[in-house]
């Protein structure tokens, strides 16, 4: 700002945003030419709850409406996803499908109108549990949107969240000092038209890296007996899906363990 002044910096911020908008509009026009203006896809959570997306593209304007009508109702568990998570998943997909190198920004959503049925699992009530929506349901939303655009097959479908530790409240409500460890376990990414999926990788919403085995074993009472590719788990086809992983842990002390996964 000191070198170029505030007005110039802000002007370039608008340029970046406008460029992202035009890039997505061009993407939508190209999809409309190749696949038509009406797209749809559906996938399911493990409990059978559907997530459905219907995409209507206006080729002339280069805009689209993504309507999640047909998605299942609010859940009693914690796999409900706030509207913000749905928007995050959609903007990620728009950016991921671009073949131009631009920074992710709000311009990617300008051409997109998102419709979500009220009190569905993607627009739950204010009292609904949503912990799993951010790290599980979000991945399934990405799978559905990419499927609708015929961009890529489904990936692992969740972030595979593993937590363990000691301490916290005991059965009497007494808080004991302790520690906690949290990791997301890798899986396979989906194949696409022209490429194989990648094995043992954190993809889409799992924007973290798993810790090194040597560091984990040095700092925590745990042994990692195996961390390997689960061969053959990705699915065979003209283009193969990426394989998942095997992660075999042995705890050397009494520990509380929890996994949030599909």
């Amino acid at each position: 700002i000191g070198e170029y002044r505030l007005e110039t910096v802000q002007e370039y911020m608008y340029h970046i945003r406008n460029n992202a908008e035009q890039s997505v509009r061009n993407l939508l026009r190209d999809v409309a030419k190749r696949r038509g203006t009406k797209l749809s896809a559906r996938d399911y959570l493990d409990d059978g709850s559907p997530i459905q997306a219907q995409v209507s593209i206006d080729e002339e304007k280069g805009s689209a409406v993504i309507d999640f009508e047909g998605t299942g109702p609010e859940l009693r568990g914690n796999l409900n996803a706030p509207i913000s998570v749905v928007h995050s998943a959609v903007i990620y997909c728009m950016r991921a499908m671009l073949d131009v190198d631009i920074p992710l920004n709000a311009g990617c959503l300008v051409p997109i109108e998102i419709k979500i049925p009220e009190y569905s699992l993607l627009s739950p009530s204010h009292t609904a549990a949503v912990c799993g929506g951010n790290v599980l349901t979000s991945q399934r939303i990405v799978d559905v949107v990419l499927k609708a655009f015929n961009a890529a097959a489904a990936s692992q479908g969740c972030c595979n969240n593993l937590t363990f530790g000691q301490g916290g409240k005991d059965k009497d409500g007494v808080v004991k000092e302790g520690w906690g460890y949290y990791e997301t376990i890798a899986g396979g990414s989906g194949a696409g038209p022209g490429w194989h999926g990648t094995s043992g990788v954190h993809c889409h919403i799992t924007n973290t890296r798993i810790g090194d085995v040597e560091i984990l074993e040095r700092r925590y009472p745990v042994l990692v007996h195996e961390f390997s590719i689960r061969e053959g788990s990705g699915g065979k086809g003209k283009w193969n899906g990426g394989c998942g992983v095997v992660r075999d842990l042995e705890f050397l002390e009494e520990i509380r363990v929890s996994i949030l996964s599909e």
Side-chain angles (χ1 to χ4, degrees):
I1 293 176
E3 184 176 355
Y4 293 101
R5 298 196 311 170
L6 179 61
E7 294 80 3
T8 301
V9 173
Q10 289 180 332
E11 190 66 28
Y12 272 90
M13 292 170 67
Y14 282 117
H15 290 328
I16 291 172
R17 187 174 185 271
N18 292 337
N19 181 55
E21 176 187 342
Q22 291 306 315
S23 297
V24 172
R25 290 190 187 278
N26 291 337
L27 167 70
L28 294 172
R29 293 188 182 104
D30 178 64
V31 171
K33 286 184 175 64
R34 291 186 292 105
R35 302 200 62 240
T37 58
K38 300 295 184 181
L39 315 173
S40 65
R42 175 185 286 191
D43 202 348
Y44 301 86
L45 300 177
D46 279 1
D47 68 356
S49 297
I51 297 177
Q52 180 164 313
Q54 301 174 67
V55 184
S56 300
I57 301 176
D58 186 323
E59 185 177 353
E60 182 178 350
K61 295 180 179 179
S63 61
V65 176
I66 300 180
D67 191 347
F68 287 93
E69 186 67 39
T71 294
E74 177 181 312
L75 301 172
R76 295 186 64 184
N78 65 8
L79 296 185
N80 302 289
I83 291 176
S84 58
V85 169
V86 180
H87 283 244
S88 296
V90 171
I91 193 175
Y92 164 80
C93 290
M94 293 302 109
R95 172 61 188 88
M97 288 188 289
L98 295 177
D99 60 359
V100 292
D101 188 13
I102 64 170
L104 178 65
N105 64 85
C108 293
L109 275 187
V110 172
I112 307 294
E113 179 184 355
I114 300 173
K115 295 183 177 181
I116 308 171
E118 192 174 12
Y119 299 123
S120 69
L121 64 93
L122 302 183
S123 180
S125 65
H126 71 280
T127 59
V130 296
C131 173
N134 187 48
V135 291
L136 273 73
T137 310
S138 56
Q139 289 275 63
R140 199 73 61 165
I141 297 169
V142 169
D143 284 342
V144 169
V145 173
L146 294 181
K147 180 180 180 181
F149 281 86
N150 198 36
S155 297
Q156 63 224 55
C158 71
C159 293
N160 304 314
N161 308 269
L162 173 68
T163 58
F164 57 83
Q166 295 176 327
K169 287 186 179 180
D170 62 17
K171 62 181 180 180
D172 299 319
V174 178
V175 178
K176 295 184 178 181
E177 185 176 347
W179 53 270
Y181 176 85
Y182 185 167
E183 69 181 21
T184 56
I185 304 172
S189 67
W195 71 88
H196 298 292
T198 303
S199 300
V201 65
H202 291 78
C203 61
H204 301 326
I205 309 303
T206 319
N207 58 346
T208 57
R209 291 182 177 179
I210 202 165
D212 294 333
V213 170
E214 295 80 3
I215 300 298
L216 175 61
E217 293 184 333
R218 181 174 181 178
R219 296 181 179 178
Y220 299 94
V222 60
L223 292 177
V224 181
H225 288 291
E226 182 180 358
F227 187 34
S228 63
I229 301 296
R230 189 158 66 92
E231 298 291 349
S233 61
K236 290 291 185 180
K238 180 177 181 181
W239 305 105
N240 301 329
C243 294
V245 300
V246 175
R247 191 158 174 84
D248 184 359
L249 307 178
E250 178 186 352
F251 299 110
L252 305 180
E253 299 176 8
E254 185 174 321
I255 281 177
R256 293 183 178 180
V257 182
S258 176
I259 188 163
L260 178 60
S261 182
E262 281 272 278

